[in-house]
Amino acid sequence: MVGSSHEALHRIFQKDPALLTRALQSVLHVPFPEPREIAALNVDLTEIEPVERRVDTLLRAETDEGTYLLVVESQGKVDDRKRGSWPYYLSYLYEKYRCEPVLIVITQNSATAKWASRPIRLGFRDWHSLTVRPLVLGPDNVPVIADERQAERDVPLAVLSAMTHGRGPQAAAILESLASALRTIDPDSAAVFVQFVDSCLADPQAKQMWRDLMTAIQYFWRHPLAEQVREEGRIQDRQEMTLRILEWRGIPVPETVRERVSACTDLDQLELWAQRAVHATDAAKLFVEE
């Protein structure tokens, strides 16, 4: 199960590798040749056991112009260590596969996109022994797809749009269009895309809106993400119940008690505290045995 935006942002290209070449051609306007075939490769670049090197997603694209290795890196923030690791990845992959490597960075953050797009030049000022020029996909160039028919024409691109623009002012229109478009594809693929979007939505209101939209789509509830949503709902219900019982009984609830109850994610523990709240004469007595 995908549990973070970092995973979702690059794994969408494992789910639909052709989306990556469409993004290179239509978003970044790079004349990348049309692949005859794209295959996922092992992402582990470890050479010596104590030193682990791993890219996020690695695809091999067979084209009429030759074979290319598409290295996809999901980047959440500026990290100057990539100045060393990205050139290493490309050099190592070329040496291992003897294919031309292409570095694509995907991010949800405009400042990170600007940083990642800067060429990495190694050598001295007037002579660069090695230059790395990442191709960057982010909120400044991935199209905003807020039209239902446009989303239906290219559902994976609409998913990418939701993942990169999920915290912007057009998030609601993007999510509504995507929710409608997901009904037009097979349920298993749609369920995976649902999870990718859910993992990338950092704005709580946008995430809740997305989950509300998905409740109307039956396949969503067969997906592991649905159990996570239900579990979170049960935890929140128990937290609120415990505090409400104390308030209904006129028992003062100090902020320290409220914070401790709200931070607990153990359903059994919350159930015990709710039972104690029925008889407790002091809010702190919820935790008397602890």
Side-chain angles (χ1 to χ4, degrees), residues 9 19 22 35 49 84 90 99 119 132 143 166 177 182 202 218 232 237 242 277:
L9 280 169
L19 172 63
R22 294 202 301 279
E49 191 170 345
L90 301 183
C99 300
V132 174
S177 298
L182 285 174
Q218 293 302 313
E232 291 174 356
D237 287 345
T242 301

Side-chain angles (χ1 to χ4, degrees), residues 58-79:
L58 180 61
L59 304 170
R60 183 182 62 228
E62 302 286 351
T63 78
D64 291 336
E65 297 179 17
T67 301
Y68 295 89
L69 298 176
L70 304 179
V71 184
V72 184
E73 284 282 280
S74 173
Q75 195 66 29
K77 60 183 180 180
V78 173
D79 183 357

Side-chain angles (χ1 to χ4, degrees), residues 14 16 52 74-75 79 89 106 157 181 193 237 240 254 277:
Q14 297 177 15
D16 188 342
E52 183 176 336
S74 173
Q75 195 66 29
D79 183 357
Y89 295 162
I106 181 166
L157 186 60
F193 288 144
D237 287 345
E240 294 175 353

Side-chain angles (χ1 to χ4, degrees), residues 213-278:
L213 287 168
M214 292 300 99
T215 58
I217 303 177
Q218 293 302 313
Y219 60 72
F220 173 65
W221 300 110
R222 298 201 304 269
H223 195 272
L225 177 60
E227 182 56 37
Q228 176 191 340
V229 174
R230 288 194 289 267
E231 182 77 2
E232 291 174 356
R234 288 193 291 267
I235 289 170
Q236 185 175 358
D237 287 345
R238 293 297 189 281
Q239 292 167 342
E240 294 175 353
M241 179 189 299
T242 301
L243 298 173
R244 277 202 302 267
I245 291 173
L246 292 173
E247 291 166 354
W248 288 338
R249 297 183 58 235
I251 306 295
V253 182
E255 192 60 29
T256 53
V257 172
R258 189 178 301 276
E259 289 176 355
R260 184 168 178 181
V261 171
S262 299
C264 181
T265 57
D266 185 325
L267 272 173
D268 292 337
Q269 183 65 74
L270 288 167
E271 184 67 37
L272 177 60
W273 288 347
Q275 293 172 7
R276 289 178 182 171
V278 175

Side-chain angles (χ1 to χ4, degrees), residues 72-221:
V72 184
E73 284 282 280
S74 173
Q75 195 66 29
K77 60 183 180 180
V78 173
D79 183 357
D80 286 330
R81 291 176 299 177
K82 298 298 185 180
R83 177 178 167 83
S85 58
W86 285 344
Y88 172 86
Y89 295 162
L90 301 183
S91 299
Y92 175 82
L93 288 169
Y94 180 78
E95 177 63 23
K96 181 175 182 178
Y97 293 101
R98 290 294 168 176
C99 300
E100 299 293 341
V102 180
L103 174 62
I104 301 103
V105 179
I106 181 166
T107 181
Q108 295 174 290
N109 183 278
S110 294
T112 303
K114 184 177 180 180
W115 162 81
S117 64
R118 297 172 186 160
I120 300 171
R121 296 186 173 95
L122 304 181
F124 55 89
R125 187 180 61 184
D126 297 323
W127 191 274
H128 302 124
S129 300
L130 177 64
T131 300
V132 174
R133 299 177 61 196
L135 293 165
V136 181
L137 292 166
D140 296 326
N141 56 12
V142 172
V144 172
I145 299 180
D147 176 78
E148 181 179 324
R149 280 175 291 186
Q150 186 182 2
E152 290 176 0
R153 284 196 294 270
D154 194 338
V155 174
L157 186 60
V159 172
L160 187 63
S161 177
M163 291 162 63
T164 51
H165 296 284
R167 48 177 94 179
Q170 300 190 74
I174 293 171
L175 295 178
E176 288 174 355
S177 298
L178 176 59
S180 178
L182 285 174
R183 299 174 184 271
T184 66
I185 64 175
D186 71 276
D188 290 337
S189 293
V192 175
F193 288 144
V194 166
Q195 186 183 0
F196 286 160
V197 174
D198 189 88
S199 298
C200 286
L201 292 175
D203 181 354
Q205 289 184 328
K207 185 182 285 283
Q208 187 57 53
M209 177 188 177
W210 179 243
R211 291 183 174 184
D212 290 343
L213 287 168
M214 292 300 99
T215 58
I217 303 177
Q218 293 302 313
Y219 60 72
F220 173 65
W221 300 110

